[in-house]
């Protein structure tokens, strides 16, 4: 009889290598993209909420509110993301006012 154990071991090692080098990084990249999308949506929602709570002006208070709420939810506050959401909010308000 022929011993097929080394062949099966080689196939298993090849599959393990494929999982390690291809599948795991792919899963990590997808998770990161989903987390980024969640963060973006959360920032937009909090910026809108801050605008409703504090009204026009009071930018520092609104920024502090958004940062505190992000940290409560386990996100690291990213000032650039918050400012991008504010700029988007202002752009929508200007386009709605013009319409």
């Amino acid at each position: 009889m022929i011993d097929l154990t080394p062949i099966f071991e080689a196939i298993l090692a090849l599959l393990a290598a494929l999982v390690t080098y291809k599948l795991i990084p792919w899963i990590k990249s997808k998770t990161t993209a989903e987390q980024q999308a969640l963060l973006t949506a959360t920032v937009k929602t909090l910026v809108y909420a801050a605008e409703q709570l504090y009204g026009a002006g009071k930018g520092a208070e609104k920024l502090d509110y958004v940062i505190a709420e992000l940290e409560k939810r386990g996100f690291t506050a990213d000032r650039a993301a918050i400012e991008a959401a504010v700029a988007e909010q202002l752009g929508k308000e200007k386009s709605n006012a013009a319409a």
Side-chain angles (χ1 to χ4, degrees):
M1 282 186 78
I2 300 174
D3 185 20
L4 298 176
T5 304
I7 294 173
F8 288 123
E9 288 176 350
I11 291 172
L12 286 175
L14 180 63
L15 289 175
L18 286 173
V19 166
T20 302
Y21 293 109
K22 295 292 182 180
L23 185 61
I24 292 175
W26 179 78
I27 290 171
K28 284 183 179 179
S29 71
K30 293 299 178 187
T31 302
T32 302
E34 290 171 7
Q35 288 173 341
Q36 289 175 356
L38 176 62
L39 176 60
T40 301
T42 304
V43 167
K44 287 179 183 179
T45 302
L46 290 173
V47 165
Y48 182 75
E51 187 64 31
Q52 294 299 312
L53 289 171
Y54 294 98
K58 301 182 183 178
E61 291 176 12
K62 291 188 274 189
L63 180 62
D64 291 340
Y65 169 79
V66 173
I67 290 172
E69 290 296 319
L70 283 173
E71 289 174 352
K72 282 183 192 176
R73 289 165 173 75
F75 293 109
T76 301
D78 181 4
R79 187 179 180 102
I82 295 167
E83 289 175 355
V86 169
E88 183 177 327
Q89 179 81 20
L90 291 174
K92 285 182 183 178
E93 289 175 2
K94 286 180 183 178
S95 67
N96 288 341

